[in-house]
Amino acid sequence: MKIEVAKTAGFCFGARRAVDMVYKLLAEGKKAATLGAILHNPQLVAQLEERGVRIVAEPDQTPPGYVLVIRSHGVTAQAEAEISRLRIPYVDATCPNVKKIHNLAEQAGRQGRVFLLMGDPVHPEIVGIVSHCTGPYYVCSGVKELEELLEKKPEWKNAPLALAAQTTFHAGQWQNCSETLKKVCTNAAIFDTICNATAKRQKEALALARRCDRMIVVGGRDSSNTAKLRDICAGQCRTYLIEKADELPDFPAGLSVGITAGASTPASIIKEVLVTMAEVNNTEQNFEEMLEESLKSMNTDEKVHGVVVGISPTEVYVDVGRKQAGFIPAAELSNDPSVKPEDVVKIGDEMELLIMKTNDQEGTIMLSKRRVDAMKGWDVIQEAQESGEILEGKVIEVVKGGVIVLHDAMRVFVPASQATANRGDNLNALQGQEVRFRIIEVNRQRRRAVGSIRSVLREERKAAQQKFWEEVEENQAFTGKVKSLTNFGAFVDLGGVDGMIHISELSWNRVKHPSEVVSVGDTVNVYVKGLDRENSKISLGYRRPEDNPWVKLEREYPVGTVCQAKVVGMTAFGAFASVIPGIDGLIHISQIADHRIEKPQDELKVGDVVKVKITDVDLERHRVSLSIRAVLEEEQARADAEAENAPAEEVVFSTEASEEAPTEE
Ligand code: F3S
């Protein structure tokens, strides 16, 4: 469902002024009585009654000790005189626009003009105005009545007349009335007294009703301006007049619904309607934006002062000095959905809160802390954008297209392109992180603040790079983090500057890919092997000299050493065998056996472990020669020598002739 709220919905200036006057009296600890209901809105009137405000029909009914409030419609001249005669303390909330018509009515009589007034003859505003007339007057409720009156009074053709209207009179009808009078009478003074707020509200309601499938007019059923709004809208689409959210009808899905409200409708009731529609439709972010927008355009200053009296995991209970129980749902406490109520407030905390919804049946008031905080936060955000100041906040959400950073209850959207130092970096890694950012766009109207983490990261990186190049020296040791791997090496972040460990530098052993030695994210100890300041390139060393297998070979395996070696490769001219990890020696084909062989495979295969003698080491060219044959020959020689040196066998001669004489070869 698409919902659109009229910008002019809700309290007009005069209604707001009158209600404020009553609240001011209450805040000053005074007792207040209103001469008639302060506004045509039963919900507001009931609320005031709960706070002890009395409604009196006549001035002399004002209880002693009460201050009488004259409502925005104004009162009769007689009532004014009575108040003054009885010396009743009073405040005059008569709307200045209505006061102006009182003066016109008075002047018309004095100038000898007949005063013609368009409006509802029984409406208190009209009753009040005509009481100020000092000459003849007539009240017509519409153009038809005016025409009939003019027909009956042909003598008015050149007579001095004055025409005015009730402040909430229908603007279109007023046009017809004034034209009708101009045609008939040549000496008419015409005063357009329709209140601007009314005209604007009606015009907007008409335009809204034309583009919507349904209209909701929120306001009291006794309110004349609300009824006029309903009539205007009903001419364009199906229209519902409701006083409270629980009167909302069911709408089929997919409709566009427009909402407007009469001049005497408090913002809290419009908010309640909007919140209920959001709940019913389970609408998403657009609705939230629309609600925020509409709240902004209405009188959003319905704030109350509250004291925390209880905390539960889902709500905070607040005393707002009214009969109703105030509560703040956890979602309205803070813009950070992960915080718990007890982390945000404690019992006894005092705070300013915004009224979100009142439920008279249940006697509760739903309040919001986060919205009040957010309102204050806008100023901070705006200033930060202008000054370029760096702000700090926590990433509370990863959303489609970016992240949400919370700064002092303000939600700042950071698009993906501005969230990390490099395009394509994982946004999820930011969740829960404290970040520094700048505000790059503020649209207060749309309640949108956009930030950039990248601009701060880049700036910090640039500063770090400059410092690094000023201080770096060859052989300097660093501890860095492996950022990425390529086929030819590993890139290491040294703190704002990247260096590269070439694959050959990763290990003394032969490796096919850097991932055999390091992984992205590993912390490594490296040293600067080479610096190319012109091209800002750093080559890093990772292997430790003491691990160099050639050093070990020289120290522990001098030429002549006989040791075990594992065959690791075969060629036509010999076999390679690993002496120690990292060093393979060649057993030439002539050195594989102690006899002539056709090919190495005749005697050896990969994986065989053989006894070899190190016959030569070329440390410069990193070559080692091995020989099996040398081992075999040495062993043979040793065997021969042993045999030669063996003692002669004892010969025992027998005195008796042997059967067979020994023969000697
Ligand atoms: Fe005054 Fe206009 Fe409201 S006349 S009371 S501001 S509608």
Side-chain angles (χ1 to χ4, degrees), residues 11-15 72-73 95-98 125 167-168 193-198 201 225 263:
F11 273 173
C12 63
F13 152 75
S72 57
H73 294 323
C95 176
N97 294 338
V98 178
E125 182 186 321
T167 51
T168 52
T193 50
I194 296 180
C195 169
N196 257 348
T198 307
R201 187 189 310 266
N225 80 84

Side-chain angles (χ1 to χ4, degrees), residues 440-512:
I440 54 173
E441 188 192 322
V442 178
N443 188 333
R444 261 184 118 132
Q445 235 177 3
R446 291 193 60 209
R447 304 216 152 197
R448 184 178 152 90
V450 181
S452 170
I453 298 171
R454 177 174 290 182
S455 94
V456 178
L457 287 177
R458 292 221 161 143
E459 200 175 274
E460 288 173 348
R461 195 182 174 91
K462 211 171 162 191
Q465 281 173 347
Q466 202 173 340
K467 189 164 180 272
F468 179 91
W469 283 105
E470 278 166 17
E471 295 174 356
V472 68
E473 285 170 8
E474 280 197 13
N475 291 323
Q476 194 175 340
F478 285 94
T479 299
K481 226 174 200 166
V482 178
K483 271 183 70 181
S484 60
L485 302 177
T486 65
N487 284 339
F488 52 88
F491 285 92
V492 179
D493 180 5
L494 304 175
V497 180
D498 291 350
M500 193 192 75
I501 314 171
H502 191 266
I503 188 165
S504 61
E505 271 300 320
L506 276 170
S507 169
W508 290 105
N509 300 338
R510 196 174 315 151
V511 288
K512 284 185 183 150

Side-chain angles (χ1 to χ4, degrees), residues 281-496:
N281 292 290
N282 193 20
T283 29
E284 62 299 319
Q285 205 181 352
N286 282 348
F287 187 87
E288 176 72 10
E289 272 177 22
M290 189 273 299
L291 177 62
E292 296 279 355
E293 178 63 21
S294 61
L295 292 184
K296 187 168 65 68
S297 63
M298 295 189 307
N299 301 294
T300 53
D301 52 347
E302 286 199 31
K303 290 184 206 149
V304 283
H305 186 81
V307 181
V308 176
V309 291
I311 301 171
S312 84
T314 53
E315 288 168 342
V316 170
Y317 305 102
V318 184
D319 180 2
V320 290
R322 297 190 185 183
K323 263 190 185 175
Q324 295 108 318
F327 71 97
I328 314 167
E332 288 296 328
L333 262 181
S334 159
N335 271 330
D336 182 353
S338 66
V339 296
K340 294 183 201 132
E342 64 262 32
D343 298 337
V344 184
V345 292
K346 56 183 188 310
I347 289 183
D349 277 359
E350 295 188 24
M351 62 193 73
E352 250 191 314
L353 298 160
L354 190 77
I355 297 179
M356 293 289 297
K357 187 174 173 181
T358 52
N359 188 330
D360 293 335
Q361 273 169 353
E362 289 176 12
T364 55
I365 308 179
M366 188 167 106
L367 304 153
S368 173
K369 178 178 182 295
R370 75 175 176 94
R371 288 168 202 265
V372 174
D373 293 344
M375 283 176 203
K376 290 180 194 158
W378 277 112
D379 295 336
V380 176
I381 292 284
Q382 187 96 54
E383 275 168 30
Q385 189 205 10
E386 282 158 21
S387 66
E389 183 193 340
I390 294 173
L391 301 177
E392 287 178 6
K394 185 178 169 190
V395 176
I396 54 163
E397 241 179 295
V398 177
V399 293
K400 197 178 163 208
V403 296
I404 302 291
V405 180
L406 192 67
H407 171 82
D408 274 354
M410 289 294 298
R411 288 167 70 91
V412 178
F413 173 66
V414 179
S417 63
Q418 295 294 328
T420 54
N422 302 302
R423 199 170 278 273
D425 285 349
N426 183 10
L427 287 187
N428 290 324
L430 286 174
Q431 177 77 44
Q433 298 287 316
E434 292 289 339
V435 291
R436 286 156 56 78
F437 63 98
R438 268 202 187 85
I439 300 293
I440 54 173
E441 188 192 322
V442 178
N443 188 333
R444 261 184 118 132
Q445 235 177 3
R446 291 193 60 209
R447 304 216 152 197
R448 184 178 152 90
V450 181
S452 170
I453 298 171
R454 177 174 290 182
S455 94
V456 178
L457 287 177
R458 292 221 161 143
E459 200 175 274
E460 288 173 348
R461 195 182 174 91
K462 211 171 162 191
Q465 281 173 347
Q466 202 173 340
K467 189 164 180 272
F468 179 91
W469 283 105
E470 278 166 17
E471 295 174 356
V472 68
E473 285 170 8
E474 280 197 13
N475 291 323
Q476 194 175 340
F478 285 94
T479 299
K481 226 174 200 166
V482 178
K483 271 183 70 181
S484 60
L485 302 177
T486 65
N487 284 339
F488 52 88
F491 285 92
V492 179
D493 180 5
L494 304 175

